[in-house]
Amino acid sequence: MGSYRMCVCFTRKFKVTEAAPPPDIKDAFNRYAEGGPHMTAEQLHRFLVDVQGQGLATKGDAEGIVQQLLHKRHHMAKFRRHALTLDDFHHYLFSADLNPPIGDQVHHDMTAPLSDYFIYTGHNSYLTGNQLSSDCSDVPIIKALQRGVRVVELDIWPNSTKDDVHVLHGRTLTTPVELIKCLKSIKEHAFSASPYPVVITLEDHLTPDLQAKVAQMVTQTFGKMLFCPDSECFKELPTPEKLKYRIIISTKPPKEYLEAEGNKRKMNNSHNVKESDDDVWGKEPAELTVDQEDDKTDSDASENNQDNEETDASEPEVRLSRAPAYKHLIALHAGKPKGGLKEALKVEPDKVRRLSLSEQALEKATMSHGTDVVRFTQKNILRIYPKGTRFNSSNYKPLIGWMHGAQMVAFNMQGYGRYLWLMHGMFRSNGGCGYVKKPDFLMNVNPNGSVFNPKADLPVKKTLKVKVYMGDGWHLDFKQTHFDLYSPPDFYTRVGIAGVPADEIMKKTKKKEDDWTPVWDEEFAFPLRVPELALLRVEVHEYDMSEKDDFAGQTCLPVSELKPGIRAVPLFNRKGEKFNSVRLLMRFEFI
């Protein structure tokens, strides 16, 4: 029993009652238990095959579930019953451990080139908070790797005495962390969540002798884990399977870096915050301040300064003798051809490269050259990063990158919000290993030479029916006054799709008043044109008449991985951490 205080006069008693199984579950139990009071393992097996779509389930699997459930629920050594009651059956279906909505095994083909996969990618992975003044640390890097992130970004700068290398967000007030500390933490935690390769993207602001020092640090730290290519450029990238337990370095080769830095210095830019030197088109005109008006992009300027490499470094002979060790480490070359957008997206027959674009540059590119972007990503790596004005570490819509085949949609993992929930959802696919095979249509070239066009008017491929039965667990994970001081909460669920624009929609259930275990029993249908890129969005809120509705949990699940049938769906907090007990009972059906 608990109680809510109502004014001073009296106290309203309340009890969290366990909600009865919904009608569909009672019907299923009666049907498969053939009207009897108990369901045997054999009858459960038939239910798993017919209703849950588990065609590969064996009678042994069903027996295992029965044993586990009876042991968990009744704990009695002498317990003789070998069949489930209706309550046991309901408990089984509502258990997120025993009956999850998606699988936890790697099941995609992992033997295609790296360019065939979406890769879980972090941005400024070393920042603990905002982009301007937070601490730099190895802690967010460790957290990201433990979550399955496979691409870690480090900005490397000389320290104040120019004899060591620091990681920090350049030209900001962020406090630095030593590069060696970050490298050691990456080594220790790289494969804690996934055996597949970790890519370290370096944004390099170093002199040649410090580049040589980095080469030494990287080689000594990673040893045999480090993947060093035989030739300078790949014609085709290796596969995730072949690169298991390996570390890959990706940055601009030293020559290109020096040109870019030299031009920047000559133009005497006073950036307060890094947008990134990787943006092919430079800044958006609307974002330029007056004193930056004649700022050109790196590619424009370097055409006029082909020989500035020599003048850029004080010790040319050091550069020539030491840079090769650093250059040899770079397995995935970043960089951009000189010239505009068309040039940047050119597919070279005998060379694979990585191109980085800001979120606005991508949007601009997809408006005028959408299919060129898709064609580029069939062989090369495209990395998208948040615009420089996202000082608070917010994120952007990842779907624009994914539907054009971009492998590395880089996110501020330390921020949170709906876009980050989508990122978490996408990478729950394929056992959470950080590599998700791109749909075939993004990889195929049609006989007429055309590729997938996300803007095309596509027919509905399949419809997902989602039934939201009920929710439970809030009374265990929240204080009884968390949502409302004077009464139990009024929960409602929002459910919908994130995906290509034509598939995006959100719907909601009615609110269930004064109930810690709300039963909604409502069904929704979602017609999908591109189910392969669709994510099911689920949010629970508590209705509040006078203020903003309270957040009560969320999850995001890849539609392509949903198990059909009645499933327990665990919910997560705003940061994407799983609640201990909060979950929904839902049903998924494809028609």
Side-chain angles (χ1 to χ4, degrees):
M1 285 293 256
S3 59
Y4 284 108
R5 190 164 284 293
M6 301 287 289
C7 69
V8 190
C9 336
F10 67 95
T11 296
R12 171 175 166 186
K13 296 282 182 192
F14 86 102
K15 194 161 117 190
V16 177
T17 51
E18 204 166 296
D24 281 10
I25 288 180
K26 286 181 186 161
D27 293 349
F29 183 83
N30 290 333
R31 192 156 88 245
Y32 286 89
E34 296 164 54
H38 295 109
M39 182 186 277
T40 64
E42 200 162 317
Q43 291 167 332
L44 176 65
H45 177 248
R46 279 209 296 280
F47 167 80
L48 294 178
V49 172
D50 296 356
V51 178
Q52 304 294 82
Q54 291 169 230
L56 299 175
T58 63
K59 288 192 177 128
D61 295 336
E63 269 161 29
I65 290 168
V66 170
Q67 291 309 320
Q68 217 176 328
L69 211 57
L70 294 178
H71 180 71
K72 187 176 166 190
R73 276 178 64 79
H74 304 290
H75 309 297
M76 285 163 12
K78 293 194 172 118
F79 197 73
R80 291 272 170 255
R81 179 155 59 77
H82 295 299
L84 306 178
T85 61
L86 171 60
D87 275 348
D88 291 332
F89 180 63
H90 181 215
H91 184 90
Y92 161 64
L93 289 174
F94 213 171
S95 162
D97 294 334
L98 296 174
N99 186 34
I102 60 173
D104 60 359
Q105 299 299 306
V106 173
H107 58 97
H108 293 179
D109 170 19
M110 301 304 278
T111 62
L114 283 184
S115 44
D116 283 20
Y117 300 83
F118 297 129
I119 310 173
Y120 206 175
T121 301
H123 173 253
N124 289 352
S125 310
Y126 50 85
L127 287 180
T128 52
N130 71 57
Q131 303 282 311
L132 297 179
S133 59
S134 67
D135 288 345
C136 300
S137 164
D138 60 337
V139 175
I141 297 172
I142 294 168
K143 279 188 185 158
L145 291 169
Q146 287 170 339
R147 198 184 251 286
V149 169
R150 300 288 82 195
V151 184
V152 170
E153 184 190 27
L154 302 177
D155 279 15
I156 50 179
W157 294 81
N159 66 350
S160 55
T161 50
K162 306 276 190 282
D163 60 353
D164 200 3
V165 181
H166 276 170
V167 171
L168 73 149
H169 196 196
R171 311 184 186 94
T172 65
L173 302 174
T174 55
T175 53
V177 58
E178 288 177 343
L179 173 62
I180 191 69
K181 191 174 184 189
C182 295
L183 296 179
K184 284 179 174 166
S185 293
I186 291 171
K187 181 185 184 178
E188 197 178 328
H189 299 276
F191 306 109
S192 55
S194 164
Y196 293 102
V198 166
V199 180
I200 303 175
T201 57
L202 296 175
E203 182 127 335
D204 165 0
H205 307 271
L206 302 177
T207 56
D209 47 347
L210 283 179
Q211 286 178 341
K213 186 163 184 162
V214 168
Q216 198 180 2
M217 272 188 219
V218 167
T219 314
Q220 281 174 357
T221 305
F222 296 118
K224 287 199 167 77
M225 290 164 89
L226 194 64
F227 175 75
C228 290
D230 303 330
S231 59
E232 194 172 302
C233 279
F234 290 114
K235 289 192 175 181
E236 184 181 77
L237 289 165
T239 72
E241 191 59 44
K242 191 182 166 198
L243 293 169
K244 265 182 168 174
Y245 301 107
R246 304 299 288 273
I247 303 281
I248 297 164
I249 304 292
S250 179
T251 185
K252 290 177 188 163
K255 176 172 176 290
E256 292 191 31
Y257 157 75
L258 286 167
E259 282 182 12
E261 281 299 293
N263 301 324
K264 263 196 241 161
R265 260 191 288 253
K266 285 186 179 172
M267 288 168 355
N268 193 20
N269 265 350
S270 55
H271 292 295
N272 293 325
V273 65
K274 170 194 99 168
E275 169 74 321
S276 176
D277 356 312
D278 280 355
D279 186 347
V280 170
W281 299 284
K283 284 187 154 29
E284 294 288 310
E287 288 178 9
L288 287 178
T289 55
V290 177
D291 64 346
Q292 290 172 336
E293 278 301 342
D294 15 289
D295 186 359
K296 291 180 177 179
T297 66
D298 297 350
S299 48
D300 292 340
S302 54
E303 285 187 67
N304 310 324
N305 288 288
Q306 290 300 327
D307 57 355
N308 73 328
E309 224 187 319
E310 212 56 36
T311 55
D312 183 58
S314 52
E315 302 171 274
E317 72 289 348
V318 173
R319 183 183 63 248
L320 294 173
S321 60
R322 290 195 197 165
Y326 181 74
K327 194 169 183 180
H328 179 64
L329 297 180
I330 304 169
L332 184 54
H333 284 224
K336 48 188 180 274
K338 299 170 179 63
L341 175 51
K342 257 307 206 209
E343 204 57 38
L345 294 170
K346 224 180 216 158
V347 178
E348 299 172 62
D350 53 353
K351 189 178 172 189
V352 170
R353 58 194 163 87
R354 190 194 99 209
L355 176 69
S356 287
L357 302 178
S358 70
E359 57 179 286
Q360 312 103 305
L362 173 74
E363 248 175 273
K364 206 149 90 175
T366 55
M367 274 152 65
S368 50
H369 299 79
T371 53
D372 287 337
V373 176
V374 173
R375 193 174 280 107
F376 178 82
T377 61
Q378 290 183 335
K379 186 182 165 190
N380 298 283
I381 300 278
L382 180 59
R383 176 178 164 272
I384 310 303
Y385 59 88
K387 61 186 177 187
T389 49
R390 293 188 181 278
F391 303 138
N392 60 351
S393 293
S394 63
N395 284 300
Y396 52 101
K397 197 172 179 181
L399 271 312
I400 299 170
W402 290 332
M403 66 194 195
H404 288 89
Q407 295 86 348
M408 297 182 177
V409 175
F411 258 42
N412 292 313
M413 295 298 166
Q414 74 283 22
Y416 50 92
R418 287 196 169 99
Y419 291 150
L420 189 56
W421 302 345
L422 296 184
M423 180 64 68
H424 292 162
M426 168 62 100
F427 287 100
R428 287 192 175 108
S429 306
N430 201 23
C433 76
Y435 284 82
V436 173
K437 186 94 163 51
K438 292 201 273 188
D440 288 345
F441 61 76
L442 280 171
M443 304 313 300
N444 295 343
V445 179
N446 301 321
N448 61 1
S450 69
V451 295
F452 174 69
N453 179 4
K455 291 199 179 70
D457 188 11
L458 299 162
V460 170
K461 224 183 221 182
K462 59 169 91 166
T463 296
L464 169 65
K465 280 170 81 176
V466 175
K467 192 161 189 178
V468 185
Y469 291 116
M470 59 184 294
D472 197 4
W474 287 281
H475 66 289
L476 298 171
D477 290 350
F478 290 85
K479 287 197 192 83
Q480 75 188 37
T481 52
H482 177 90
F483 295 107
D484 209 320
L485 281 175
Y486 303 118
S487 65
D490 309 327
F491 290 126
Y492 65 92
T493 296
R494 296 181 71 222
V495 60
I497 299 291
V500 298
D503 287 346
E504 298 211 319
I505 189 166
M506 283 306 271
K507 300 179 178 187
K508 66 179 174 181
T509 65
K510 297 179 188 72
K511 69 174 183 289
K512 196 75 188 158
E513 293 189 355
D514 292 349
D515 205 334
W516 281 100
T517 51
V519 177
W520 297 285
D521 228 3
E522 289 186 50
E523 189 166 51
F524 305 94
F526 301 105
L528 302 172
R529 288 154 190 83
V530 186
E532 299 89 341
L533 292 177
L535 297 166
L536 178 71
R537 290 179 54 196
V538 181
E539 293 177 15
V540 179
H541 297 270
E542 200 268 338
Y543 176 75
D544 196 322
M545 203 161 56
S546 55
E547 297 170 40
K548 201 163 158 262
D549 290 357
D550 286 321
F551 170 83
Q554 59 82 21
T555 191
C556 204
L557 296 165
V559 166
S560 61
E561 304 254 332
L562 285 177
K563 295 177 174 187
I566 299 166
R567 302 287 170 184
V569 177
L571 296 187
F572 298 76
N573 66 16
R574 286 177 193 276
K575 290 185 176 178
E577 298 152 347
K578 193 174 177 179
F579 288 122
N580 291 330
S581 315
V582 178
R583 67 213 184 281
L584 298 179
L585 188 65
M586 302 176 80
R587 181 175 184 155
F588 307 117
E589 191 186 348
F590 290 98
I591 48 176

